[in-house]
Amino acid sequence: AMRQPLTGTSQEALEHYMAHLSAQGYSDNSKRYAYQTVHCLLLSCPIEGASREGIASFLNSLGVRSKKTVDSMSKVIKRFLSF
């Protein structure tokens, strides 16, 4: 499946973050999950216009998924944002 393209700055941030995860020794599965999760976040909330509200509404939109899924996605997103 073709991924929707991100804005330039978002794509750059995602690539930097993935390089950071590689340097930290994350497994390929963890990196793939992180990539998908952060990609979804940046599609809905590009880094240029990122706001607490935008990120909160993205997280709220995940409410349809199981709590475990939302928790693990939230963890990935928190790590990305603190990076």
Side-chain angles (χ1 to χ4, degrees), residues 29-49:
N29 279 348
S30 295
K31 289 190 292 193
R32 205 175 4 253
Y33 188 70
Y35 185 92
Q36 290 168 338
T37 302
V38 174
H39 190 277
C40 282
L41 169 71
L42 293 173
L43 267 182
S44 112
C45 191
I47 226 159
E48 297 85 342

Side-chain angles (χ1 to χ4, degrees), residues 9 14 17-18 24-25 30 36 39-40 61-62 66 79 81:
T9 310
L14 181 54
Y17 183 60
M18 295 314 295
Q24 299 286 312
S30 295
Q36 290 168 338
H39 190 277
C40 282
S61 76
L62 300 177
S66 75
R79 274 200 298 264
L81 296 174

Side-chain angles (χ1 to χ4, degrees), residues 5-75:
L6 298 173
T7 62
T9 310
S10 292
Q11 185 62 47
E12 238 171 81
L14 181 54
E15 284 165 15
H16 282 298
Y17 183 60
M18 295 314 295
H20 167 74
L21 292 185
S22 291
Q24 299 286 312
Y26 278 79
S27 74
D28 285 347
N29 279 348
S30 295
K31 289 190 292 193
R32 205 175 4 253
Y33 188 70
Y35 185 92
Q36 290 168 338
T37 302
V38 174
H39 190 277
C40 282
L41 169 71
L42 293 173
L43 267 182
S44 112
C45 191
I47 226 159
E48 297 85 342
S51 64
R52 278 182 180 281
E53 293 73 35
I55 292 163
S57 78
F58 173 74
L59 289 171
N60 288 337
S61 76
L62 300 177
V64 292
R65 297 205 170 94
S66 75
K67 181 165 171 25
K68 191 172 183 305
T69 306
V70 173
D71 285 349
S72 56
M73 289 179 88
S74 299
K75 249 180 242 145

